[in-house]
Amino acid sequence: MGRPTAVHVPVLPEAVIEALAVRPGGVYVDATVGAGGHSRAILERLGPQGLLIGLDRDPHALAAARENLRPFGERVILAQADFRDLREVLGETGVDRADGVLFDLGVSSLQLDRPERGFSYRQEAPLDMRLDPGRGISAAELVNRLSEEELARIIARYGEERWARRIARAIVEHRRRQPILTTTQLAAVVKDAIPAAARRRGPHPARRTFQALRIAVNRELESLEQGLAQAEAVLKPGGRLVVLAYHSLEDRTVKTFLRARSRGCTCPPSLPVCVCGGGAATLRVLTPRPLRPGKEEVARNPRARSARLRAAEKLGSGGVGT
């Protein structure tokens, strides 16, 4: 694989550290470690007794993180895992509680800047999109096997694409003649399916379709829902949950989760028992509105443009097993 040289420019680093309330000697989890940009910022404040546990599905990202975080030695434990496996990973390290958990969602430059990974519609590459190249089915398999109805549903739901049906129809018609195996093939099919007037404004016409397929391939929203629940379970009372989201589907999922956990039971006071299943509130939302990067940060790091940070604090004495 060669020596990793990736440099991760973390998004909203100061806001992340403040929201996590990093304290010396604590245990923190970076559930999407990437090349380790946020993890480094956390470790610099942890001191010699602190511990950082980093997870990532992408073996290339983990290789970069190991290199970039090498100076911190045994204060770092890295594992190739989906954040839906957060509790299992912590258990394997002998840790059952954490002072803070960070999620930095979506794909990073580690994936986008490597054309061979198949995430970018701008460069020719095999149509893959798997965060873990060794597991699961590729985007090419979805594109060439799913029915027109299934493709339209995925593109509409995960891409919020108004032309989903036209795109799905065009994909099916094209693959009858020739399989769609590369990123540029798919991008061209999508572009041709969208009316010319709609292509003249906004981002690249294939962006939403590529986003939708990436989410479907990696089951990202399902993983996010499970990961958030596990993060809440492992947090100590007073521990912090911090999430950086980059598109509305992710942010809506996070917002819905935090709202539900902070409201608890919503039954009328007249009912003798809870019937809504809400129970007691377990989180206190710290960001009524998401934090956004300023103009200066966006100028330095354009990929920060769409970032939204939400944070919450664990209440009471709940935790693992609650």
Side-chain angles (χ1 to χ4, degrees):
M1 184 185 303
R3 188 179 180 86
T5 58
V7 176
H8 177 210
V9 180
V11 174
L12 289 168
E14 294 83 6
V16 165
I17 295 301
E18 182 177 351
L20 281 172
V22 177
R23 63 177 185 81
V27 175
Y28 291 83
V29 179
D30 189 341
T32 46
V33 71
H38 285 115
S39 290
R40 173 176 287 274
I42 294 169
L43 284 158
E44 287 172 348
R45 291 159 177 80
L46 272 182
Q49 303 304 315
L51 178 66
L52 186 287
I53 300 172
L55 285 64
D56 208 293
R57 297 165 73 172
D58 187 338
H60 301 285
L62 283 175
R66 287 192 183 96
E67 183 65 24
N68 293 334
L69 301 178
R70 188 183 302 277
F72 298 96
E74 296 182 355
R75 295 160 54 194
V76 182
I77 298 175
L78 298 177
Q80 184 178 354
D82 190 332
F83 42 67
R84 73 172 74 195
D85 303 319
L86 192 153
R87 290 179 73 172
E88 180 181 347
V89 171
L90 263 63
E92 290 173 353
T93 64
V95 174
D96 60 0
R97 295 290 184 98
D99 296 283
V101 180
L102 169 66
F103 293 84
D104 186 5
L105 303 174
V107 292
S108 71
S109 57
L110 286 166
Q111 289 93 29
L112 294 173
D113 293 345
R114 297 178 68 118
E116 69 273 15
R117 301 295 300 278
F119 288 97
S120 175
Y121 40 76
R122 299 184 185 278
Q123 297 173 291
E124 176 84 10
L127 189 58
D128 195 317
M129 298 193 195
R130 290 173 294 174
L131 290 170
D132 180 351
R135 298 181 63 181
I137 61 174
S138 69
E141 291 176 274
L142 290 185
V143 164
N144 289 289
R145 292 181 182 179
L146 294 183
S147 68
E148 181 178 326
E149 293 74 18
E150 290 171 315
L151 285 169
R153 179 185 60 81
I154 286 172
I155 296 168
R157 181 183 178 191
Y158 297 144
E160 299 180 298
E161 171 61 75
R162 64 176 297 195
W163 306 108
R165 289 190 177 278
R166 290 178 63 131
I167 293 168
R169 189 178 309 120
I171 289 173
V172 171
E173 289 175 356
H174 188 281
R175 77 189 191 193
R176 288 194 185 111
R177 304 187 302 272
Q178 179 185 18
I180 300 173
L181 302 176
T182 70
T183 53
T184 51
Q185 275 184 298
L186 178 60
V189 172
V190 173
K191 181 179 178 181
D192 290 344
I194 296 176
R199 300 199 304 260
R200 295 191 190 106
R201 60 183 183 274
H204 192 287
R207 183 180 67 85
R208 292 181 182 276
T209 298
F210 270 64
Q211 172 184 297
L213 289 171
R214 189 203 81 218
I215 290 172
V217 164
N218 297 292
R219 300 170 65 185
E220 291 178 28
L221 294 183
E222 178 184 333
S223 290
L224 176 57
E225 291 171 352
Q226 295 180 22
L228 291 171
Q230 293 197 24
E232 177 198 30
V234 303
L235 281 173
K236 299 176 182 177
R240 299 289 185 88
L241 171 63
V242 178
V243 186
L244 281 166
Y246 296 87
H247 60 72
S248 58
L249 288 175
E250 291 173 341
D251 187 56
R252 197 177 306 139
T253 300
V254 176
K255 180 180 178 180
T256 299
F257 175 85
L258 296 182
R259 179 181 293 171
R261 295 302 203 270
S262 63
R263 283 180 174 175
C265 177
T266 57
C267 295
S270 57
L271 289 178
V273 294
C274 172
V275 296
C276 73
T282 53
L283 295 175
R284 177 171 68 91
V285 175
L286 303 174
T287 50
R289 294 182 179 179
L291 302 179
R292 305 294 297 268
K295 292 181 180 179
E296 291 185 4
E297 179 169 359
V298 171
R300 293 193 307 270
N301 183 13
R303 287 174 178 163
R305 182 179 295 107
S306 58
R308 283 164 271 193
L309 183 153
R310 295 184 186 273
E313 183 178 80
K314 181 72 173 282
L315 297 173
S317 59
V320 175
T322 62

